[in-house]
Amino acid sequence: MSRHFKEGAKNLIRNGWMSFAAFSAVVVTLAIVGVSLLVALNVQQMSKYVANQLEVSAYLQQNLSNAEGQKIEMQVENIPGVKSVVLETKQQGLKQLETELGPQYGDLLKGLGTNPLPVTLIVKADNPRDTLQVANNLKTIPQIASVNDGAEYVRPLFRVLDIVRNIGAVLLLAMFLTAVFLISNTIRIAIFSRRREIEIMRLVGATNGFIRMPFLVESTLIGVFGGAVPAVALDFLYQYLYQISGGYFYGIHFPLISVNWFVIKVTVALLVLGFVLGFWGGFMSVRKFLRI
C-alpha cells in the first residue's frame, strides 16, 4: 500500500496538466454543489423557523379569573401533542392592547372600568404540523370560549413549505447527479490518456490489482483535494456573510444556520463526495482498460 500511495502521489506531478484539469473540474463542480447546499440548508432552516412560530390562542370565558385560568392551563398541558402553554392574564392582555393601540387610546381603555379581556392561553404544538389538531382538542374544553387557530394561514403555509422543500431537494439532487457525471468523466479522460501505460504493465505481467491501485490513489486524491478547496472557501465565505448579516437573512428576521453547524456539514459532505466520486471515477476507468 505504501508503494501504491507513493506512485499515485507521483502520478499527480508526472501528469501535471491532466491532473490539474481533473482537479479544476472537481473544484468547480463541488463548489457549485456546495453553494447549492448552502442555499438549501438555509431555506430549510427558514422553513423550520416559520413553522415553529405557529401558535394557538385559546380565549377563556369572560367570567373566569386568573386562578381558574391556571387550572385550565395545567389541563391543557396534558393534551397529547402540546409543547408549551403560556397563560396571559387579563392585566397582561390589557397592557399589551394599550401598547399596540398607542397612547392616544389609553384614556379610552381606562374609561371602560372593568377589564373586558379574557384570560388567554398561548399554546404551541410539539410538531407544528399538529397545530390544527391541538386547536381542535382545545375546542372540546368547556371553559374555553373560542380558539384562534389561524387555519386560513396554517394550511397554505405548509403547502408552500412543502413545495419549497421539494424544489430544493430536486435541485440538489440534480446538482449531485451533474457533479457525478462531470467529475467521473473528467477523471476517465485523465486516465484514458495513459491507457498505453496500463497496456504495457499488463504485457509485463502486472496483476490487475497492482495496476489499479496507483490509479485509484491518484483519482481519490484528486477528488479529496478537489473537495477540500471549495469546502474551505465556502466555510470562510459563510463566516463572512454570517458576521456582516448578524446571523439573519438580509431585510427579514429569519435566523441563518450557525457557522459551526454549517462548517461541519459542508466540509464533511464535500470531502466525502470528493472521495467517493474520485474513487468511483478511477475504478470505473481503469476497469474498462483492464478488460481489454
Side-chain angles (χ1 to χ4, degrees):
M1 289 302 300
S2 175
R3 181 262 174 196
H4 294 321
F5 187 85
K6 290 178 180 178
E7 283 298 313
K10 289 179 180 178
N11 287 340
L12 290 176
I13 301 174
R14 291 171 182 164
N15 305 280
W17 284 111
M18 289 305 301
S19 298
F20 179 76
F23 171 78
S24 300
V26 175
V27 169
V28 172
T29 307
L30 291 186
I32 297 174
V33 172
V35 171
S36 303
L37 189 61
L38 184 155
V39 174
L41 290 174
N42 278 289
V43 169
Q44 184 181 25
Q45 169 77 1
M46 183 179 67
S47 301
K48 289 182 179 179
Y49 176 80
V50 172
N52 288 330
Q53 302 309 305
L54 294 176
E55 58 187 24
V56 178
S57 297
Y59 304 102
L60 306 188
Q61 295 179 358
Q62 179 64 33
N63 60 343
L64 295 179
S65 64
N66 293 332
E68 292 171 318
Q70 291 177 349
K71 295 180 181 179
I72 301 173
E73 178 186 7
M74 296 175 61
Q75 180 181 349
V76 172
E77 288 176 345
N78 295 324
I79 295 177
V82 171
K83 179 181 180 181
S84 64
V85 182
V86 177
L87 185 141
E88 185 181 272
T89 64
K90 295 184 177 183
Q91 293 76 16
Q92 290 172 336
L94 183 61
K95 186 175 181 180
Q96 182 178 352
L97 182 60
E98 291 176 352
T99 303
E100 292 176 354
L101 294 178
Q104 63 271 28
Y105 294 98
D107 294 336
L108 177 62
L109 293 174
K110 292 178 182 178
L112 295 175
T114 58
N115 190 336
L117 299 179
V119 178
T120 305
L121 299 178
I122 309 299
V123 183
K124 281 191 174 185
D126 188 49
N127 184 347
R129 293 184 179 272
D130 296 333
T131 299
L132 296 182
Q133 180 60 46
V134 169
N136 291 332
N137 293 335
L138 292 174
K139 294 176 182 178
T140 62
I141 300 176
Q143 294 87 345
I144 295 179
S146 63
V147 175
N148 181 11
D149 56 12
E152 65 274 19
Y153 304 108
V154 173
R155 292 189 180 94
L157 172 64
F158 280 115
R159 282 198 292 268
V160 172
L161 293 181
D162 288 341
I163 292 173
V164 170
R165 182 190 60 193
N166 293 335
I167 291 176
V170 170
L171 291 178
L172 199 59
L173 179 61
M175 291 304 306
F176 173 78
L177 294 177
T178 303
V180 171
F181 176 79
L182 291 177
I183 294 174
S184 298
N185 280 281
T186 302
I187 292 177
R188 286 185 182 184
I189 292 172
I191 295 179
F192 178 79
S193 64
R194 295 154 59 193
R195 61 192 182 279
R196 289 191 177 181
E197 178 181 340
I198 297 175
E199 294 173 0
I200 292 172
M201 293 178 71
R202 292 195 66 192
L203 289 174
V204 298
T207 63
N208 288 346
F210 188 87
I211 297 172
R212 180 185 291 119
M213 284 306 299
F215 288 99
L216 290 181
V217 170
E218 180 183 355
S219 62
T220 302
L221 288 176
I222 291 174
V224 171
F225 290 144
V229 171
V232 173
L234 283 173
D235 291 344
F236 280 107
L237 175 63
Y238 188 73
Q239 290 183 43
Y240 173 74
L241 293 176
Y242 192 90
Q243 290 175 357
I244 64 175
S245 65
Y248 293 91
F249 283 93
Y250 285 108
I252 50 179
H253 198 71
F254 290 144
L256 298 168
I257 58 175
S258 66
V259 173
N260 292 336
W261 191 86
F262 174 82
V263 168
I264 293 173
K265 287 284 185 179
V266 171
T267 301
V268 171
L270 293 183
L271 287 178
V272 170
L273 190 57
F275 174 86
V276 171
L277 294 178
F279 182 87
W280 177 257
F283 180 82
M284 296 304 295
S285 300
V286 178
R287 182 185 180 189
K288 176 181 178 181
F289 295 114
L290 290 179
R291 288 177 175 175
I292 299 174

